[in-house]
Amino acid sequence: MNYISSLNHSLINKYGPRESIEYDVIIVGGGPSGLSAAIRLKQLAIKKNKEIKICVLEKGSELGAHILSGAIIDPRSIFELFPKEKLNKLFNTPVIEERFLFLSSKKSYKIPSWILPICFKNHGNYIISLSDLVRWMGKKAENMGIDIFSGFSASEILYDSKNNVCGIATNNFGINKEGIIKKNFQLGMELYAKYTLFAEGSRGHLSKQIIKKFNLDNKKDPQTYSLGIKELWTINPKLHKKGLVIHTIGWPLDYKTYGGGFLYHMENNQISIGYIISLDYKNPYLSPFEEFQRYKTHPKICKILKGGKRISYGARTITTGGLQSLPEFIFDGGAFIGCNAGFMNVSRIKGIHTSIKSGILVADSIFKKICSNNKFNKLITYKTSFQASWLYKELYKARNFKPAMKKGLYIGMLIIGIDQILFSGKFPFTLHNINSDYTYLEPASKHIPIKYPNPDNKLTFDKLSSIYVSNINHDEDQPIHLILKNKKIPIHINFSIYAGPEARYCPAGVYEFIIEKNKIQHLQINAQNCIHCKTCDIKDPTQNIEWITPEGGSGTNYPNM
């Protein structure tokens, strides 16, 4: 029994049974995959005049509060979901020009488009705000009669007597850091369903438990991740070009570390600028946040930002392992969908259209099952329809991208060129992800500390001022949702061997080593700074940190990221 389950059982014994509600389908996560599954299922039910009760549970204070993406969307699957809908208001910034640049420390070199594989091209795609899209989809879902509960965290999986998933329980409210009941205490609720879908996004807390319990990653490659960091800026109208897309590789990273930047010109003189770094990097002194700040100082980038103003900041991990690392995504009583499962096409840096498609596929499968009254059979048709879909074909073509890039920038780009251009993604061999990301971090003794420049607060910033513009909100007097399995490890192993990487891989200043009289004292966890990116859960070299869901409504409140 894990920490959450143990705490919940003790509270239930003391304060009585939790209230419960029954649904046909519960969806954990109000992102594009969760909402598309709910909407598609309701569309089918309305068409066949069948009553289906659907609930979407979102831990953010509102739909879109925790949503973060670049974002360029391939509209293919959203047009499948809404074939007769006019989406002009959402998709009013088509990609009209794109540039792919290789950066050295001072110069940039445009890579000719004819050299680039088709996966790097964005003709027919749109620059959007994903949080705006999610809010729009949420209104559609509510108008269809779908129950959407924002501000409620799913913290526990419920199982029936046959060990099938039969629902979830929401987090308790009103417990302080010491575990003492406060005046506003309220037990969580139990939500039961025929099928429970987990759309938690990258590195889902509950999904990890299910994968482990049912051994769903058996004979699969280890899952791999990247960290995406993003800022939203308003820039000088003279420097703005609506519909321009810029992607970069090279500086500030060395050739052994995979990552790259993006800069998308949105509407209203706004740009989305960010950096993505693969979490299999080796140097414990590397700070993804600081690398992003350095990126903005490049002559090609800083001239676009000159005179502009930063509006918002955020960070999120991305599931990038591809088909080889895709776990068994169906189980008795439910399924995984979206980035939570690992359906992102990393070669295209796109996961919205794939997430929406996975929601459509699982909804079709569930509707067939409900109509046939098969309650707990696995959603076999979800798996078979995926394997027959364009989504599978797209991910198959992209399967070698991440394993290739693990071999370094130059070798990786050569392999990708051969795979994508010469073989059109049908290379006769499949490369593999061999190890989990945390295993790649090397002892500090093998590396030289990186000296990052101080922020100027105009172009570059520190972590605390950054999370301020994330509109972050946590009740500081709640149980810390970042669990240290062994409190001695951060000092005796992580600091001693790896120079305390927690303080650098976290993009929000959550982890702070307290040093007094030139002696390390302890690791302080500033949980109120957490922006729910999950990097610590992935990159910690001893896997000593576990991210669990905080009280509902906690975390970021992104306006239009």
Side-chain angles (χ1 to χ4, degrees), residues 30-33 35 63-73 78 90-91 126-138 230 266 272 316 351-353 355-356 558-561:
S33 64
L35 289 171
L63 289 178
H66 290 176
I67 288 293
L68 182 72
S69 182
I72 294 177
I73 186 173
I78 195 86
L90 288 171
F91 296 165
Y126 296 83
I127 304 170
I128 67 163
S129 160
L130 182 55
S131 52
D132 284 349
L133 175 62
V134 163
R135 292 184 182 100
W136 180 86
M137 292 177 69
K230 173 185 171 180
M266 307 167 73
S272 170
R316 193 82 170 110
I352 303 172
H353 72 296
S355 290
I356 291 172
Y558 296 131
N560 53 351
M561 294 283 270

Side-chain angles (χ1 to χ4, degrees), residues 7-303:
L7 176 61
N8 284 339
H9 278 80
S10 65
L11 291 171
I12 291 169
N13 291 335
K14 186 173 182 179
Y15 292 96
R18 295 180 287 205
E19 293 183 25
S20 64
I21 306 176
E22 291 192 11
Y23 286 92
D24 292 300
V25 178
I26 294 168
I27 301 170
V28 180
S33 64
L35 289 171
S36 63
I39 290 168
R40 175 70 163 191
L41 194 52
K42 201 68 174 181
Q43 288 173 338
L44 295 171
I46 292 170
K47 186 176 181 179
K48 295 294 184 179
N49 196 27
K50 188 172 182 65
E51 180 64 31
I52 296 181
K53 293 180 64 179
I54 307 167
C55 167
V56 177
L57 210 64
E58 167 55 42
K59 65 181 173 67
S61 60
E62 63 174 3
L63 289 178
H66 290 176
I67 288 293
L68 182 72
S69 182
I72 294 177
I73 186 173
D74 178 337
R76 181 175 186 175
S77 55
I78 195 86
F79 289 158
E80 286 184 24
L81 190 62
F82 299 105
K84 299 179 181 179
E85 194 80 36
K86 292 184 178 180
L87 302 173
N88 295 345
K89 289 184 179 180
L90 288 171
F91 296 165
N92 63 354
T93 309
V95 176
I96 61 171
E97 180 186 351
E98 52 186 325
R99 304 168 189 167
F100 199 100
L101 307 177
F102 176 85
L103 302 183
S104 64
S105 60
K106 298 295 182 183
K107 295 183 179 181
S108 65
Y109 305 90
K110 184 178 179 181
I111 301 174
S113 60
W114 61 269
I115 295 179
L116 295 173
I118 194 170
C119 61
F120 292 154
K121 299 178 182 180
N122 284 285
H123 177 73
N125 298 328
Y126 296 83
I127 304 170
I128 67 163
S129 160
L130 182 55
S131 52
D132 284 349
L133 175 62
V134 163
R135 292 184 182 100
W136 180 86
M137 292 177 69
K139 289 179 181 177
K140 288 286 185 183
E142 288 179 324
N143 291 339
M144 297 173 78
I146 296 167
D147 288 345
I148 297 180
F149 298 142
S150 297
F152 289 88
S153 295
S155 63
E156 183 183 358
I157 306 160
L158 303 177
Y159 299 93
D160 66 9
S161 58
K162 296 181 180 179
N163 214 25
N164 298 320
V165 174
C166 63
I168 57 90
T170 63
N171 218 341
N172 304 304
F173 279 91
I175 303 174
N176 71 10
K177 285 183 177 179
E178 286 71 40
I180 299 172
I181 301 302
K182 298 191 288 189
K183 290 182 179 179
N184 65 337
F185 172 73
Q186 184 178 348
L187 270 177
M189 295 186 63
E190 294 178 351
L191 304 177
Y192 292 94
K194 296 173 182 176
Y195 293 100
T196 304
L197 303 180
F198 294 87
E200 298 178 277
S202 175
R203 192 73 165 190
H205 166 57
L206 298 182
S207 302
K208 279 201 313 176
Q209 298 176 34
I210 294 175
I211 290 171
K212 183 177 181 180
K213 183 179 180 69
F214 297 122
N215 201 21
L216 299 180
D217 57 356
N218 184 39
K219 296 182 180 180
K220 307 287 185 178
D221 287 3
Q223 189 57 269
T224 67
Y225 301 86
S226 294
L227 173 62
I229 302 175
K230 173 185 171 180
E231 291 176 348
L232 192 66
W233 283 64
T234 298
I235 65 169
N236 185 334
K238 294 181 180 179
L239 301 173
H240 186 265
K241 188 174 182 180
K242 183 179 175 181
L244 171 62
V245 165
I246 299 173
H247 289 107
T248 72
I249 54 173
W251 190 88
L253 297 178
D254 61 44
Y255 72 94
K256 294 181 180 179
T257 307
Y258 170 57
F262 62 86
L263 197 155
Y264 306 152
H265 288 243
M266 307 167 73
E267 57 183 340
N268 301 323
N269 298 318
Q270 291 185 347
I271 63 161
S272 170
I273 181 171
Y275 209 79
I276 298 171
I277 294 181
S278 178
L279 288 178
D280 59 358
Y281 65 82
K282 297 179 179 180
N283 188 346
Y285 291 112
L286 186 146
S287 166
F289 175 86
E290 297 293 351
E291 295 295 337
F292 172 48
Q293 299 307 312
R294 282 210 299 169
Y295 171 69
K296 291 185 293 179
T297 67
H298 190 277
K300 192 72 174 181
I301 306 300
C302 69
K303 71 177 183 179

Side-chain angles (χ1 to χ4, degrees), residues 220 321-327 342-343 386 392 395-397 399:
K220 307 287 185 178
L323 275 181
Q324 302 92 311
S325 299
L326 191 69
F343 287 119
F386 161 67
Y392 178 87
L395 296 183
Y396 181 82
K397 288 179 65 176
R399 73 195 187 284

